[in-house]
Amino acid sequence: MNGIRVAALYPDRMNIYADRGNLIFLQRRCEWRGLGFELMLCNEEKDLDPDATDLIYIGGGQDRDQIEIATDLVERKQASIRAAIESGAAVLAVCGGFQLLGHSYTLGDRTIEGLGICDFETRREPGERLIGNIEIEVSGLESLGGPGSLAGFENHGGRTYLGPEARPLGRVLKGHGNNGEDSTEGVQHGRVIGTYLHGPLLPKNSWFADWLIAISLTRPGEPLPELEPLDDQLEIAAHENARKACRS
Ligand code: GLN
């Protein structure tokens, strides 16, 4: 395959901190290498096609936005999302989108049902929002090299608690992570990734963007392709700055 097909879920509403910019970054990195990039925008009116999806993307959203899309996501998109994952598609879900990969998100006396693709739940609990710069150490991804660290920004009121079947995406080096207590951040289940790292997650962590492109070009079990190197001076500087911001 000489390109990737990305299905973006609810891009208008699940786009806090311009999380949609991650898609532009993936597109540019594909185009700079002469790889195809197809984007399908999916919402209440349009389901994704599991046979034509290599990567599913969902950004962050406020509680209100999550509540608005959750019913459609769980009742009408669940089958196609699961079918796409079954046939090897990758998933990147950020913040509010990440929370909806789990079993549920409880806010006061209201519980929003999630997709239950990963074993975790999220709860609003008394206490401050978990806000600030964050760096995590990632391990266990099929490796493409890269620094193994993701740096970015988090802002969430929900606290996520992983169940026994779930493994985190990484370990918190600086910042709060899933719940501010157990040093876990995000979730990784095969090619399904959830994280609280917002906004320019991929521009600040270009190695991770390339890892997503590489897995999206292949199916599980196939060797990852060598991607043509790009001039990443700016991206590397952005990564280093984001790491520094965590320590200032
Ligand atoms: N509504 C969720 C929370 O505050 C997610 C917010 C977000 O995506 N930034 O926990």
Side-chain angles (χ1 to χ4, degrees), residues 6 9 41 50 60 77 90 95 168 187 193 195:
V6 180
L9 297 179
L41 304 177
K77 302 277 187 296
C95 202
V187 74
I193 304 283
T195 180

Side-chain angles (χ1 to χ4, degrees), residues 16-17 60-63 66 94-97 99 105 122 124 129 155-159 196 198:
I16 203 169
Y17 296 116
Q62 301 289 6
D63 295 345
Q66 286 173 283
V94 174
C95 202
Q99 293 172 343
Y105 178 26
T122 301
R124 274 276 174 151
R129 292 182 69 81
N155 179 356
H156 50 111
R159 268 96 166 138
Y196 275 114
H198 259 302

